[in-house]
């Protein structure tokens, strides 16, 4: 819902899932970068003039001190969006939770050794319900095939009512070409069911490139 808004992104390391299409393994299960203290992270975030802060991952809800990070950033007057697969609950200070539960299209290959665990953990309806009941939320569903919409609608029917303009369908794509090809038929699904189209602005502007 805040696409295009200048924002500071905080990427936490570590993830409890292994999505087949993950495009950030360098912060998920092959973490890179420096280890910073909570105080250093907050100082870095506040060095920018942006009002909006997005905390993402990896999976931020398994990160140590997430609650303290959110509280410190919020007390500094920042708007906090938290991006999560919604498998783990913690009470945090946040203005918007961007929930991206993982559909069956996310399951990794069996030879990775993660398929069974991923399938077991990828969908936690009680946690999703708690987030919907306690926070302003948006849903971002990663769509790979036209049949994925049936799974989306089945899950949404099991949750407290969420306005359709807070439900995004986003193409599973890391190239501009794939994004456009899938985007055409996903846009038709959005028109059919009243959902919003989820763009990948960084892919559209810069391609699948780090540091943008």
């Amino acid at each position: 819902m805040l696409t295009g808004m200048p924002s500071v992104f905080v990427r936490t390391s570590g993830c409890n899932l292994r999505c087949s299409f993950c495009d950030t393994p360098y912060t998920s299960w092959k973490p890179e970068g420096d280890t910073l203290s909570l105080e250093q992270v907050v100082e870095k975030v506040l060095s920018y003039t942006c009002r909006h802060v997005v905390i993402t991952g990896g999976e931020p809800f398994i990160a140590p001190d997430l609650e303290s990070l959110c509280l410190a950033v919020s007390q500094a007057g920042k708007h906090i969006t938290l991006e999560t697969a919604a498998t783990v609950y913690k009470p945090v200070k946040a203005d918007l939770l961007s929930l991206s539960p993982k559909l069956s299209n996310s399951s990794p290959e069996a030879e990775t050794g993660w398929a069974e665990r991923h399938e077991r953990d990828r969908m936690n309806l009680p946690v999703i319900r708690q987030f919907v009941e306690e926070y302003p939320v948006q849903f971002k569903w990663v769509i790979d095939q036209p049949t994925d919409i049936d799974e989306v609608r089945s899950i949404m029917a099991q949750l407290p009512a969420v306005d359709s303009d807070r439900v995004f369908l986003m193409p599973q794509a890391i190239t501009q070409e794939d994004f456009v090809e899938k985007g055409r038929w996903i846009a038709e699904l959005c028109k059919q069911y009243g959902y919003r189209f989820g763009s990948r602005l960084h892919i559209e502007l810069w391609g699948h490139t780090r540091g943008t």
Side-chain angles (χ1 to χ4, degrees), residues 57-102:
E59 172 49 68
F61 275 84
I62 66 172
D65 296 328
L66 176 65
E67 300 100 313
S68 298
L69 172 62
C70 291
L71 182 61
V73 173
S74 178
Q75 288 177 337
K78 303 296 185 180
H79 178 286
I80 298 174
T81 299
L82 261 168
E83 297 189 334
T84 177
T87 60
V88 177
Y89 177 86
K90 288 180 181 178
V92 294
K93 184 71 174 179
D95 300 285
L96 176 65
L97 259 60
S98 184
L99 309 181
S100 186
K102 303 311 175 189

Side-chain angles (χ1 to χ4, degrees), residues 93-144:
K93 184 71 174 179
D95 300 285
L96 176 65
L97 259 60
S98 184
L99 309 181
S100 186
K102 303 311 175 189
L103 300 173
S104 56
N105 64 24
S106 67
S107 293
E109 298 294 332
E111 53 265 25
T112 65
W114 266 84
E116 183 177 348
R117 178 175 172 180
H118 177 94
E119 190 62 24
R120 181 193 70 204
D121 295 343
R122 67 177 175 82
M123 189 65 59
N124 192 329
L125 287 174
V127 167
I128 299 172
R129 290 191 188 101
Q130 189 166 7
F131 281 141
V132 171
E133 291 169 352
E134 296 181 5
Y135 294 90
V137 300
Q138 66 181 23
F139 278 85
K140 183 178 69 178
W141 297 102
V142 178
I143 305 297
D144 189 51

Side-chain angles (χ1 to χ4, degrees), residues 32 40 106 115 130 135 138 142 168 175 181 184 195 203:
E32 302 175 11
Q40 288 173 311
S106 67
Q130 189 166 7
Y135 294 90
Q138 66 181 23
V142 178
F168 291 77
T175 67
E181 189 279 324
R184 291 192 181 103
Y195 297 147
I203 296 292

